[in-house]
Coordinates of all heavy atoms in Angstrom, one line a residue:
M192 N 191.9 -106.3 118.3 CA 192.9 -106.3 117.3 C 193.0 -107.7 116.7 O 192.9 -108.7 117.5 CB 194.2 -105.9 118.0 CG 195.4 -106.0 117.1 SD 197.0 -105.4 117.8 CE 196.7 -103.7 118.0
R193 N 193.1 -107.7 115.4 CA 193.2 -109.0 114.7 C 194.4 -108.9 113.8 O 194.6 -107.9 113.2 CB 191.9 -109.2 113.9 CG 190.6 -109.3 114.6 CD 190.6 -110.7 115.4 NE 189.3 -110.8 116.1 CZ 189.3 -110.7 117.5 NH1 190.3 -110.4 118.2 NH2 188.1 -110.9 118.1
A194 N 195.1 -110.0 113.7 CA 196.3 -110.0 112.9 C 196.5 -111.4 112.3 O 195.9 -112.4 112.7 CB 197.5 -109.6 113.7
H195 N 197.4 -111.5 111.3 CA 197.8 -112.8 110.7 C 199.3 -112.9 110.7 O 200.0 -111.9 110.8 CB 197.3 -112.8 109.2 CG 195.8 -112.7 109.0 ND1 195.2 -111.5 108.9 CD2 194.9 -113.6 109.1 CE1 193.9 -111.7 108.8 NE2 193.7 -113.0 108.9
T196 N 199.8 -114.1 110.6 CA 201.2 -114.3 110.5 C 201.7 -113.5 109.3 O 201.1 -113.6 108.2 CB 201.5 -115.8 110.3 OG1 201.0 -116.5 111.4 CG2 202.9 -116.1 110.2
G197 N 202.8 -112.8 109.5 CA 203.4 -112.0 108.4 C 203.1 -110.6 108.5 O 203.7 -109.8 107.8
D198 N 202.0 -110.2 109.2 CA 201.6 -108.8 109.4 C 202.7 -108.0 110.1 O 203.5 -108.6 110.9 CB 200.3 -108.7 110.1 CG 199.1 -109.0 109.2 OD1 199.3 -109.2 108.0 OD2 198.0 -109.2 109.8
A199 N 202.8 -106.8 109.9 CA 203.7 -105.9 110.6 C 203.0 -105.3 111.8 O 201.8 -105.1 111.8 CB 204.2 -104.7 109.7
L200 N 203.8 -105.1 112.9 CA 203.3 -104.5 114.1 C 204.1 -103.3 114.4 O 205.4 -103.3 114.4 CB 203.5 -105.6 115.3 CG 203.0 -105.1 116.6 CD1 201.4 -105.1 116.6 CD2 203.4 -106.1 117.7
L201 N 203.5 -102.2 114.7 CA 204.1 -100.9 115.0 C 203.7 -100.5 116.4 O 202.5 -100.5 116.7 CB 203.8 -99.8 114.0 CG 204.3 -98.4 114.3 CD1 205.8 -98.4 114.2 CD2 203.7 -97.4 113.4
V202 N 204.6 -100.2 117.3 CA 204.4 -99.8 118.6 C 204.9 -98.3 118.7 O 206.1 -98.1 118.6 CB 205.0 -100.7 119.7 CG1 204.6 -100.2 121.1 CG2 204.5 -102.1 119.5
R203 N 204.1 -97.4 119.0 CA 204.5 -96.0 119.2 C 205.3 -95.8 120.5 O 205.0 -96.5 121.5 CB 203.3 -95.1 119.2 CG 202.5 -95.1 117.9 CD 203.2 -94.3 116.9 NE 202.4 -94.3 115.6 CZ 202.9 -94.1 114.5 NH1 204.2 -93.7 114.3 NH2 202.1 -94.1 113.4
G204 N 206.3 -94.9 120.4 CA 207.0 -94.6 121.6 C 206.1 -94.0 122.7 O 205.1 -93.3 122.4
H205 N 206.4 -94.3 124.0 CA 205.5 -93.9 125.1 C 205.8 -92.5 125.6 O 205.0 -91.9 126.1 CB 205.7 -94.9 126.3 CG 205.2 -96.2 126.0 ND1 205.1 -97.2 126.9 CD2 204.6 -96.8 124.9 CE1 204.6 -98.3 126.4 NE2 204.3 -98.1 125.2
H206 N 207.1 -92.0 125.4 CA 207.5 -90.7 125.9 C 208.0 -89.9 124.8 O 208.5 -90.4 123.8 CB 208.5 -90.9 127.0 CG 208.0 -91.7 128.2 ND1 208.3 -93.0 128.3 CD2 207.2 -91.3 129.2 CE1 207.7 -93.5 129.4 NE2 207.1 -92.5 130.0
V207 N 208.1 -88.6 124.9 CA 208.7 -87.7 124.0 C 210.2 -88.1 123.8 O 210.9 -88.4 124.7 CB 208.6 -86.2 124.4 CG1 209.4 -85.4 123.5 CG2 207.2 -85.8 124.5
G208 N 210.6 -88.3 122.5 CA 211.9 -88.8 122.3 C 212.1 -90.3 122.1 O 213.1 -90.8 121.6
D209 N 211.1 -91.1 122.6 CA 211.2 -92.5 122.4 C 210.9 -92.9 120.9 O 210.1 -92.3 120.3 CB 210.1 -93.2 123.2 CG 210.4 -93.3 124.7 OD1 211.5 -92.9 125.1 OD2 209.5 -93.8 125.5
H210 N 211.7 -93.8 120.5 CA 211.5 -94.3 119.1 C 210.3 -95.3 119.0 O 210.0 -96.0 119.9 CB 212.8 -95.0 118.6 CG 214.0 -94.0 118.5 ND1 214.1 -93.1 117.6 CD2 215.0 -93.9 119.4 CE1 215.2 -92.4 117.8 NE2 215.8 -92.9 118.9
D211 N 209.7 -95.3 117.8 CA 208.7 -96.3 117.5 C 209.5 -97.7 117.4 O 210.6 -97.7 117.0 CB 208.0 -96.0 116.2 CG 207.1 -94.8 116.3 OD1 206.9 -94.3 117.5 OD2 206.7 -94.3 115.3
R212 N 208.8 -98.8 117.7 CA 209.3 -100.1 117.5 C 208.5 -100.9 116.5 O 207.3 -100.7 116.4 CB 209.3 -100.9 118.9 CG 210.1 -100.2 119.9 CD 209.9 -100.8 121.3 NE 210.1 -102.3 121.2 CZ 209.7 -103.1 122.2 NH1 209.0 -102.7 123.2 NH2 209.9 -104.4 122.1
Q213 N 209.2 -101.6 115.7 CA 208.6 -102.4 114.6 C 208.9 -103.9 114.8 O 210.0 -104.2 115.2 CB 209.0 -101.9 113.2 CG 208.6 -100.5 113.0 CD 209.0 -100.1 111.6 OE1 209.8 -100.7 110.9 NE2 208.6 -98.9 111.2
A214 N 207.9 -104.7 114.4 CA 208.1 -106.2 114.5 C 207.3 -106.8 113.4 O 206.4 -106.2 112.8 CB 207.6 -106.6 115.9
V215 N 207.5 -108.1 113.2 CA 206.7 -108.9 112.3 C 206.1 -110.0 113.2 O 206.8 -110.6 114.0 CB 207.7 -109.6 111.2 CG1 206.8 -110.5 110.4 CG2 208.2 -108.5 110.4
I216 N 204.8 -110.3 112.9 CA 204.1 -111.3 113.7 C 204.5 -112.6 113.1 O 204.2 -112.9 111.8 CB 202.6 -111.0 113.6 CG1 202.3 -109.7 114.3 CG2 201.8 -112.2 114.2 CD1 200.9 -109.3 114.2
I217 N 205.1 -113.5 113.8 CA 205.4 -114.8 113.3 C 204.6 -116.0 113.8 O 204.6 -117.0 113.2 CB 206.9 -115.1 113.6 CG1 207.3 -115.0 115.1 CG2 207.9 -114.2 112.9 CD1 208.7 -115.4 115.5
E218 N 203.8 -115.7 114.8 CA 202.7 -116.7 115.3 C 201.6 -115.9 115.9 O 201.8 -115.0 116.6 CB 203.3 -117.7 116.3 CG 204.3 -118.7 115.7 CD 204.8 -119.7 116.8 OE1 204.2 -119.7 117.9 OE2 205.7 -120.4 116.5
V219 N 200.4 -116.4 115.7 CA 199.2 -115.8 116.4 C 198.7 -116.9 117.4 O 198.4 -118.0 117.0 CB 198.1 -115.5 115.4 CG1 196.8 -115.0 116.1 CG2 198.6 -114.5 114.4
H220 N 198.7 -116.6 118.7 CA 198.4 -117.5 119.7 C 196.9 -117.4 120.2 O 196.4 -118.3 120.8 CB 199.3 -117.4 120.9 CG 200.7 -117.8 120.6 ND1 201.5 -118.4 121.5 CD2 201.4 -117.8 119.4 CE1 202.7 -118.7 121.0 NE2 202.6 -118.4 119.7
G221 N 196.2 -116.3 119.8 CA 194.8 -116.2 120.2 C 193.9 -116.8 119.2 O 194.3 -117.2 118.1
T222 N 192.6 -116.8 119.5 CA 191.6 -117.3 118.6 C 191.2 -116.2 117.6 O 191.0 -115.1 117.9 CB 190.4 -117.6 119.5 OG1 190.7 -118.5 120.5 CG2 189.3 -118.3 118.6
D223 N 191.0 -116.7 116.3 CA 190.6 -115.8 115.3 C 191.4 -114.6 115.1 O 190.9 -113.5 114.9 CB 189.1 -115.5 115.5 CG 188.5 -114.9 114.2 OD1 188.8 -115.2 113.1 OD2 187.5 -114.0 114.4
G224 N 192.7 -114.7 115.2 CA 193.7 -113.6 115.0 C 193.9 -112.7 116.2 O 194.5 -111.6 116.0
A225 N 193.4 -113.1 117.3 CA 193.5 -112.2 118.5 C 194.9 -112.4 119.2 O 195.5 -113.5 119.0 CB 192.4 -112.5 119.5
P226 N 195.3 -111.5 120.0 CA 196.5 -111.7 120.8 C 196.4 -112.8 121.8 O 195.3 -113.2 122.1 CB 196.7 -110.3 121.5 CG 195.7 -109.4 120.9 CD 194.7 -110.2 120.2
P227 N 197.5 -113.3 122.2 CA 198.9 -112.7 122.1 C 199.5 -113.2 120.8 O 199.1 -114.1 120.2 CB 199.6 -113.4 123.3 CG 199.0 -114.7 123.6 CD 197.5 -114.4 123.2
Y228 N 200.6 -112.5 120.5 CA 201.4 -112.7 119.2 C 202.8 -113.1 119.6 O 203.4 -112.4 120.5 CB 201.3 -111.5 118.3 CG 199.9 -111.0 118.0 CD1 199.6 -109.7 118.2 CD2 199.0 -111.9 117.4 CE1 198.3 -109.2 117.9 CE2 197.7 -111.4 117.1 CZ 197.4 -110.1 117.4 OH 196.2 -109.7 117.1
L229 N 203.4 -114.0 118.8 CA 204.9 -114.1 118.9 C 205.4 -113.2 117.8 O 205.0 -113.4 116.6 CB 205.3 -115.6 118.7 CG 206.8 -115.9 118.7 CD1 207.4 -115.5 120.0 CD2 207.1 -117.3 118.3
V230 N 206.3 -112.3 118.2 CA 206.8 -111.3 117.2 C 208.3 -111.4 117.1 O 209.0 -111.8 118.1 CB 206.3 -109.9 117.5 CG1 204.8 -109.8 117.5 CG2 206.9 -109.4 118.9
R231 N 208.8 -110.9 116.0 CA 210.3 -110.8 115.8 C 210.5 -109.3 115.7 O 210.1 -108.6 114.7 CB 210.8 -111.5 114.7 CG 212.3 -111.4 114.5 CD 212.9 -112.3 113.4 NE 212.6 -113.7 113.6 CZ 211.9 -114.5 112.8 NH1 211.3 -114.0 111.7 NH2 211.7 -115.7 113.1
W232 N 211.3 -108.7 116.6 CA 211.5 -107.2 116.6 C 212.7 -107.0 115.6 O 213.4 -107.9 115.1 CB 212.0 -106.8 118.0 CG 210.8 -106.9 118.9 CD1 210.7 -108.0 119.9 CD2 209.7 -106.1 119.1 NE1 209.5 -107.8 120.5 CE2 208.9 -106.7 120.1 CE3 209.2 -105.0 118.4 CZ2 207.6 -106.2 120.5 CZ3 208.0 -104.5 118.8 CH2 207.2 -105.0 119.8
E233 N 212.8 -105.7 115.2 CA 213.9 -105.3 114.3 C 215.3 -105.8 114.6 O 216.1 -106.1 113.7 CB 213.9 -103.8 114.2 CG 212.7 -103.1 113.6 CD 212.8 -101.6 113.8 OE1 212.7 -101.1 114.9 OE2 212.9 -101.0 112.7
D234 N 215.6 -105.9 115.9 CA 216.9 -106.4 116.3 C 217.1 -107.9 116.2 O 218.1 -108.4 116.6 CB 217.3 -105.8 117.6 CG 216.4 -106.3 118.8 OD1 215.5 -107.1 118.5 OD2 216.6 -105.9 119.9
G235 N 216.0 -108.6 115.9 CA 216.0 -110.1 115.8 C 215.5 -110.8 117.0 O 215.3 -112.0 117.0
H236 N 215.3 -110.0 118.1 CA 214.7 -110.6 119.3 C 213.3 -111.0 119.1 O 212.5 -110.3 118.5 CB 214.8 -109.5 120.4 CG 214.2 -109.9 121.7 ND1 214.8 -110.8 122.6 CD2 213.0 -109.7 122.3 CE1 214.0 -111.0 123.7 NE2 212.9 -110.3 123.4
E237 N 212.9 -112.2 119.7 CA 211.6 -112.7 119.6 C 210.9 -112.7 121.0 O 211.6 -113.0 122.0 CB 211.5 -114.1 119.0 CG 212.0 -114.2 117.6 CD 211.9 -115.6 117.0 OE1 211.5 -116.5 117.7 OE2 212.4 -115.7 115.9
S238 N 209.7 -112.3 121.0 CA 208.9 -112.3 122.3 C 207.4 -112.5 122.1 O 207.0 -112.2 121.0 CB 209.2 -111.0 123.1 OG 208.7 -109.9 122.3
V239 N 206.8 -112.9 123.1 CA 205.3 -113.0 123.1 C 204.8 -111.5 123.5 O 205.3 -110.9 124.4 CB 204.8 -114.0 124.1 CG1 203.2 -113.9 124.2 CG2 205.2 -115.4 123.8
F240 N 203.9 -111.0 122.7 CA 203.5 -109.6 122.8 C 202.0 -109.5 123.0 O 201.2 -110.1 122.2 CB 203.9 -108.8 121.6 CG 203.7 -107.4 121.7 CD1 204.5 -106.6 122.5 CD2 202.7 -106.8 121.0 CE1 204.3 -105.2 122.6 CE2 202.5 -105.4 121.0 CZ 203.3 -104.7 121.9
F241 N 201.5 -108.8 124.0 CA 200.1 -108.4 124.2 C 200.0 -107.0 123.9 O 200.4 -106.1 124.7 CB 199.7 -108.7 125.7 CG 199.8 -110.1 126.0 CD1 201.0 -110.8 126.4 CD2 198.6 -110.9 126.1 CE1 201.0 -112.1 126.8 CE2 198.6 -112.2 126.4 CZ 199.8 -112.8 126.8
P242 N 199.5 -106.6 122.7 CA 199.4 -105.2 122.3 C 198.4 -104.4 123.2 O 197.4 -104.9 123.7 CB 198.9 -105.2 120.9 CG 198.4 -106.6 120.7 CD 198.9 -107.5 121.7
S243 N 198.8 -103.1 123.3 CA 197.9 -102.1 124.0 C 197.5 -101.1 123.0 O 197.7 -101.2 121.8 CB 198.6 -101.5 125.2 OG 199.8 -100.8 124.8
S244 N 197.0 -100.0 123.5 CA 196.4 -99.0 122.6 C 197.4 -98.2 121.8 O 197.1 -97.5 120.8 CB 195.6 -97.9 123.4 OG 196.4 -97.3 124.3
D245 N 198.7 -98.4 122.1 CA 199.8 -97.8 121.3 C 200.3 -98.6 120.2 O 201.3 -98.3 119.5 CB 200.9 -97.3 122.2 CG 201.6 -98.4 123.0 OD1 201.0 -99.6 122.9 OD2 202.6 -98.2 123.6
A246 N 199.7 -99.8 119.9 CA 200.2 -100.7 118.9 C 199.2 -100.8 117.8 O 198.0 -100.7 117.9 CB 200.3 -102.1 119.5
F247 N 199.8 -100.9 116.5 CA 198.9 -101.0 115.3 C 199.4 -102.1 114.5 O 200.6 -102.4 114.4 CB 199.1 -99.7 114.5 CG 198.7 -98.4 115.3 CD1 199.7 -97.8 116.1 CD2 197.4 -98.0 115.3 CE1 199.4 -96.6 116.8 CE2 197.1 -96.9 116.1 CZ 198.1 -96.2 116.8
V248 N 198.5 -102.8 113.8 CA 198.8 -103.9 112.9 C 198.7 -103.3 111.5 O 197.7 -102.7 111.1 CB 197.9 -105.1 113.1 CG1 198.1 -106.1 112.0 CG2 198.1 -105.7 114.4
E249 N 199.7 -103.6 110.7 CA 199.6 -103.3 109.2 C 199.5 -104.6 108.5 O 200.5 -105.4 108.5 CB 200.9 -102.5 108.8 CG 200.8 -102.1 107.3 CD 202.1 -101.4 106.9 OE1 202.7 -100.8 107.7 OE2 202.3 -101.4 105.7
R250 N 198.4 -104.8 107.9 CA 198.2 -106.0 107.2 C 199.1 -106.1 105.9 O 199.1 -105.1 105.1 CB 196.7 -106.2 106.8 CG 195.8 -106.2 108.0 CD 194.6 -107.0 107.7 NE 193.6 -106.9 108.8 CZ 193.7 -107.5 109.9 NH1 194.7 -108.3 110.2 NH2 192.8 -107.3 110.9
M251 N 199.8 -107.2 105.8 CA 200.6 -107.3 104.6 C 199.9 -108.2 103.6 O 199.2 -109.1 104.0 CB 202.0 -108.0 105.0 CG 202.7 -107.2 106.1 SD 203.0 -105.5 105.7 CE 204.3 -105.6 104.5
P252 N 200.0 -107.9 102.3 CA 199.4 -108.8 101.4 C 199.9 -110.2 101.4 O 201.1 -110.4 101.5 CB 199.7 -108.1 100.0 CG 200.7 -107.1 100.3 CD 200.8 -106.9 101.8
H253 N 199.0 -111.1 101.5 CA 199.3 -112.5 101.5 C 199.3 -113.1 100.1 O 198.3 -112.9 99.4 CB 198.4 -113.3 102.5 CG 198.5 -112.8 103.9 ND1 199.5 -113.1 104.7 CD2 197.6 -111.9 104.6 CE1 199.3 -112.4 105.9 NE2 198.2 -111.8 105.8
R254 N 200.3 -113.8 99.8 CA 200.3 -114.5 98.5 C 199.4 -115.6 98.4 O 199.2 -116.4 99.4 CB 201.7 -115.0 98.2 CG 202.7 -113.9 98.1 CD 204.0 -114.5 97.7 NE 205.1 -113.6 98.0 CZ 206.4 -113.9 97.9 NH1 206.8 -115.0 97.3 NH2 207.3 -113.0 98.2
E255 N 198.8 -115.7 97.3 CA 197.9 -116.9 97.1 C 198.7 -118.1 96.6 O 199.7 -117.9 95.9 CB 196.8 -116.5 96.1 CG 195.9 -115.4 96.6 CD 194.6 -115.4 96.0 OE1 194.2 -116.4 95.4 OE2 193.9 -114.4 96.1
K256 N 198.3 -119.3 96.9 CA 199.1 -120.4 96.4 C 199.0 -120.6 94.9 O 198.0 -120.4 94.3 CB 198.5 -121.7 97.0 CG 198.8 -121.9 98.5 CD 198.1 -123.2 98.9 CE 199.0 -124.0 99.7 NZ 198.4 -125.3 100.2
A257 N 200.2 -120.9 94.3 CA 200.2 -121.1 92.9 C 199.9 -122.6 92.6 O 200.4 -123.4 93.3 CB 201.6 -120.7 92.4
D258 N 199.1 -122.8 91.6 CA 198.8 -124.2 91.3 C 199.8 -124.8 90.3 O 200.5 -124.2 89.6 CB 197.4 -124.3 90.6 CG 196.3 -124.0 91.6 OD1 196.5 -124.3 92.8 OD2 195.3 -123.4 91.2

């Protein structure tokens, strides 16, 4: 898994009836976009996250610098 700061992270619920969890990646601690990631969850909580097979990264368009 590879990600960039600002990408969205989606974690599927583990059991029937569990809700999916969403977060924004605010720091990438691994080499070349690899985990672990510092993420901010929907409720504002921040944590270091090591994704497993139930997690997906949605790449967000990154703005280019204006001259």
Side-chain angles (χ1 to χ4, degrees):
M192 178 176 291
R193 299 285 182 255
H195 299 93
T196 300
D198 286 347
L200 181 72
L201 174 67
V202 181
R203 297 284 181 200
H205 291 185
H206 302 95
V207 173
D209 283 354
H210 296 284
D211 294 345
R212 296 172 53 198
Q213 295 180 351
V215 173
I216 297 172
I217 54 178
E218 290 180 10
V219 176
H220 290 210
T222 305
D223 194 31
Y228 307 123
L229 179 63
V230 299
R231 182 176 299 119
W232 298 101
E233 293 174 291
D234 64 1
H236 175 79
E237 294 180 5
S238 64
V239 175
F240 186 74
F241 294 83
S243 62
S244 62
D245 60 350
F247 304 90
V248 171
E249 180 180 339
R250 300 210 189 280
M251 302 307 284
H253 299 283
R254 295 184 201 177
E255 299 205 13
K256 284 179 133 180
D258 291 327

